[in-house]
Amino acid sequence: MPLPSLLHRLKERKLLQWAVAYLAGAFVVFQLLDALAEPLALTTTIQRAILAVVGVGFFIALVLAWYHGEKGRQRVSGPELLMVAALLVVAGVALSLLRSPAPPAPARPTGTRGAGDDRPRVAVLPCDNTSPDPEDAFRADGLHDEILLKLQKVSSLVSLGRASVQQYTEVTPAVREIAAELGVDFVGECSVQRAGSRLRVIFQLMDPLGAQVWANDYDQDFTLDNILDIQAAIAQQVARAVGTTLTREERMRIEAKPTDDLDAYELYLLGRNRWTTRSPETIREAIDYFEAAVEVDSTFALAFSGIADAYMVLPFYDLTAEPL
């Protein structure tokens, strides 16, 4: 087939437009996968499977675009289904090749560590809200989440996620029991109190026997800079207290400011607080809070990420919701 004729047929069937549109959608999927891997506890195998399906889907989209252009129809026919089935078979083979040839390791209790991993393990328990107003609980939850996220940026230690420590929100056993159950070397406890224009945060780090390793009392004006500084200081002090060293890049990520607007940040924390409750109503409330945060600060990346997280999980809790 002459080259000009081929280019004309490609243009006529809008394959370039289909390719660009699909790649744009794939980029969004990759970004969401990166953002949701930790909150949704996606394993490496699941992430690889999603990437493989998206990759094969690119060729499916091009084949269907060409076929529709060739036949001049907009309905799926028997031959199309056969082509899709064949491509899905290829995808299945590709997924099987992506699997590790070694058998999966047997499930291990939460309290054990991986072989050869001698990094110190830290569990920061949910922060207590000691403010006069019970509605301030979202600030304690937000500070807890931010401390966990910052500690997870330190490669030389292992910080357990929210799902592992959330069980100790209402009932808190002795530190030695928690350390044994979770298999950690250190346990962190914190309390958050806002009184008027002041913010007080108390944090202590203990060894498995309950002996205090490090503690500090932060009593400062309630400003965004102070809130972010307290979170960063706690994460850095915990890293030092357990005997690890922060790299320059890790320190920069911990100290990074997500926004310059306190109202936007508070709306974001409210959104995260509602999002973690995971019901159709609270997830929709979370979306409203995230969108309100974006209205206050249109450059607030975490708020946009919150919107994406909420819309991603909403169909799992509300069957009437359209998938993202």
Side-chain angles (χ1 to χ4, degrees):
M1 179 185 299
L3 183 59
S5 176
L6 176 61
L7 293 176
H8 176 73
R9 297 184 68 182
L10 292 175
K11 181 178 179 181
E12 184 180 57
R13 288 159 181 78
K14 299 182 179 180
L15 255 66
L16 178 60
Q17 292 91 324
W18 275 99
V20 171
Y22 189 92
L23 291 176
F27 176 77
V28 174
V29 171
F30 295 156
Q31 296 300 311
L32 290 175
L33 181 62
D34 182 62
L36 295 176
E38 173 66 22
L40 297 182
L42 299 180
T43 64
T44 302
T45 301
I46 292 177
Q47 295 180 52
R48 288 180 176 177
I50 294 174
L51 294 177
V53 170
V54 171
V56 172
F58 175 72
F59 296 100
I60 293 178
L62 292 184
V63 169
L64 292 180
W66 179 275
Y67 187 80
H68 280 307
E70 184 74 30
K71 297 298 182 181
R73 292 179 291 157
Q74 295 299 321
R75 62 184 180 85
V76 179
S77 63
E80 281 183 291
L81 292 176
L82 291 176
M83 286 188 290
V84 171
L87 289 171
L88 289 176
V89 170
V90 174
V93 174
L95 288 176
S96 66
L97 294 176
L98 286 174
R99 296 176 188 163
S100 173
R108 55 188 179 91
T110 307
T112 61
R113 67 176 73 238
D117 188 353
D118 57 356
R119 293 177 298 169
R121 293 168 58 87
V122 182
V124 178
L125 305 183
C127 297
D128 293 329
N129 172 41
T130 57
S131 301
D133 186 356
E135 295 299 322
D136 286 342
F138 77 92
R139 294 192 179 91
D141 292 341
L143 184 133
H144 179 241
D145 286 340
E146 290 303 309
I147 291 174
L148 294 183
L149 290 174
K150 292 182 184 301
L151 286 176
Q152 287 162 5
K153 299 179 188 298
V154 183
S155 59
S156 53
L157 62 79
V158 177
S159 174
L160 301 193
R162 165 189 275 268
S164 298
V165 299
Q166 199 65 23
Q167 57 184 308
Y168 304 112
T169 301
E170 300 296 335
V171 179
T172 306
V175 170
R176 64 176 62 201
E177 293 181 32
I178 296 175
E181 290 176 359
L182 299 180
V184 296
D185 306 300
F186 302 92
V187 176
E189 292 182 344
C190 66
S191 64
V192 181
Q193 181 184 67
R194 183 190 177 184
S197 61
R198 302 292 292 180
L199 176 69
R200 186 182 188 191
V201 178
I202 301 175
F203 190 96
Q204 63 174 338
L205 187 70
M206 294 163 287
D207 68 15
L209 298 180
Q212 192 177 80
V213 177
W214 169 80
N216 205 351
D217 182 350
Y218 304 88
D219 190 351
Q220 300 180 11
D221 289 333
F222 185 77
T223 66
L224 178 61
D225 286 340
N226 286 341
I227 294 172
L228 298 178
D229 288 345
I230 290 173
Q231 295 170 359
I234 290 175
Q236 293 183 26
Q237 290 293 341
V238 168
R240 295 190 186 100
V242 303
T244 62
T245 302
L246 294 172
T247 66
R248 180 174 178 272
E249 291 74 16
E250 289 170 345
R251 187 175 295 104
M252 291 176 60
R253 289 200 294 269
I254 288 176
E255 295 176 352
K257 292 180 59 175
T259 180
D260 292 319
D261 194 290
L262 177 59
D263 290 337
Y265 188 70
E266 293 255 281
L267 288 167
Y268 168 75
L269 293 184
L270 283 166
R272 280 298 176 192
N273 177 266
R274 305 310 292 154
W275 181 77
T276 56
T277 307
R278 304 296 178 88
S279 72
E281 296 77 16
T282 57
I283 293 176
R284 294 187 185 279
E285 290 176 10
I287 293 173
D288 292 337
Y289 281 123
F290 291 140
E291 291 179 343
V294 170
E295 289 181 5
V296 175
D297 181 0
S298 60
T299 64
F300 195 179
L302 284 179
F304 283 106
S305 175
I307 294 173
D309 291 346
Y311 274 115
M312 180 67 74
V313 302
L314 182 59
F316 294 100
Y317 297 88
D318 184 357
L319 298 180
T320 64
E322 291 291 335
L324 184 65

